[in-house]
Amino acid sequence: MGDALMAGSGGGSTTHYSTSSRVMAAVWVVIAVLLLLDLVLRGQDRLAWIAGAVLVMSIAVVYVAWLRPRVVSTERGIRMVNPLRETFVPWAAVRWVDVVDVLRVHTAERVYRSWPLRETKRARVRENMRRDSGYLDSDDDGDPARMRPTDLVARDLRRDAERYKTRPLSGPIKDVEEEGPAALGARDRPQTMVPVEVIVVLGVPVLLFVAVLLLA
């Protein structure tokens, strides 16, 4: 995964994701769709059906691993979308946000790691590990123009936490359009779940592949 990150705002939320991963995913989806079309037009035997099922599975895996993952800063908390699981961390539970090899959200119970927001420079990872061990001072006040992309996201999330904690929203979360399904009913504790979307996206291609093996 490359360093290029993208942030998009809308409806009171900011979404952070890896641009390079999404570009690679989009390229593969296009290639897979073209191969599927070729199989539909020219493939007639059992191997063609199996190859088509494998291509469908690859599209599902690419979507779950590269297209879907993101980190969303909302008015209620941080939505961390990883390939198989999704976590919602209310602002009241956020203790700190930093970067070692990946972006991490610290809470009283545990540390949550983000799949899509990664530090790809090995020298920077070693420096982050030294800072995490207390051997280096934090560079939170560094020049944004000189900060690494993931470090800049971590700093923005820390500032979001400070801002939203000063004016917390009360009551349970009922609208999950921005916060995500893991936020449903959340108050001041993180919640993690495997979304139905992931089960469907991965389960249907697997069933298709099994059906092809048995029936084709």
Side-chain angles (χ1 to χ4, degrees):
M1 295 184 181
D3 287 329
L5 301 180
M6 184 67 69
S9 299
S13 66
T14 302
T15 302
H16 305 277
Y17 54 84
S18 171
T19 305
S20 56
S21 294
R22 291 199 169 191
V23 169
M24 289 188 295
V27 170
W28 172 248
V29 169
V30 171
I31 293 174
V33 169
L34 292 176
L35 291 173
L36 280 172
L37 290 176
D38 182 67
L39 287 173
V40 170
L41 295 175
R42 299 196 299 176
Q44 300 293 333
D45 57 7
R46 183 171 186 269
L47 288 179
W49 280 97
I50 294 175
V54 170
L55 285 172
V56 172
M57 288 182 62
S58 73
I59 293 174
V61 171
V62 163
Y63 170 77
V64 170
W66 287 356
L67 282 176
R68 187 174 181 276
R70 59 197 183 276
V71 174
V72 186
S73 173
T74 75
E75 294 182 344
R76 296 276 192 167
I78 301 175
R79 179 186 182 187
M80 304 179 69
V81 182
N82 288 335
L84 298 180
R85 296 190 299 176
E86 181 169 323
T87 299
F88 181 78
V89 185
W91 292 119
V94 177
R95 297 292 182 86
W96 188 248
V97 182
D98 64 4
V99 179
V100 179
D101 56 332
V102 297
L103 183 138
R104 308 185 303 177
V105 176
H106 298 252
T107 69
E109 292 86 3
R110 58 172 294 184
V111 177
Y112 296 92
R113 296 166 58 87
S114 167
W115 168 273
L117 305 187
R118 296 176 171 269
E119 175 53 65
T120 58
K121 192 174 182 180
R122 293 184 179 180
R124 184 62 178 178
V125 172
R126 290 193 294 269
E127 183 179 339
N128 290 342
M129 293 178 66
R130 293 180 63 195
R131 181 175 293 109
D132 185 53
S133 300
Y135 293 105
L136 294 176
D137 294 330
S138 173
D139 57 354
D140 190 45
D141 296 326
D143 181 4
R146 302 180 61 182
M147 294 179 69
R148 300 281 295 170
T150 311
D151 290 321
L152 189 58
V153 172
R155 193 194 69 169
D156 290 344
L157 291 175
R158 290 194 295 269
R159 293 184 174 182
D160 287 346
E162 293 176 0
R163 180 170 73 253
Y164 287 119
K165 281 182 179 180
T166 61
R167 51 183 181 85
L169 301 177
S170 60
I173 296 173
K174 298 180 179 179
D175 183 3
V176 297
E177 182 176 352
E178 293 179 1
E179 285 81 4
L184 188 62
R187 291 183 179 269
D188 58 357
R189 295 174 63 88
Q191 295 187 156
T192 300
M193 68 175 295
V194 178
V196 175
E197 175 188 6
V198 172
I199 298 174
V200 172
V201 169
L202 293 180
V204 170
V206 170
L207 292 176
L208 174 63
F209 181 74
V210 172
V212 168
L213 288 179
L214 295 176
L215 302 176

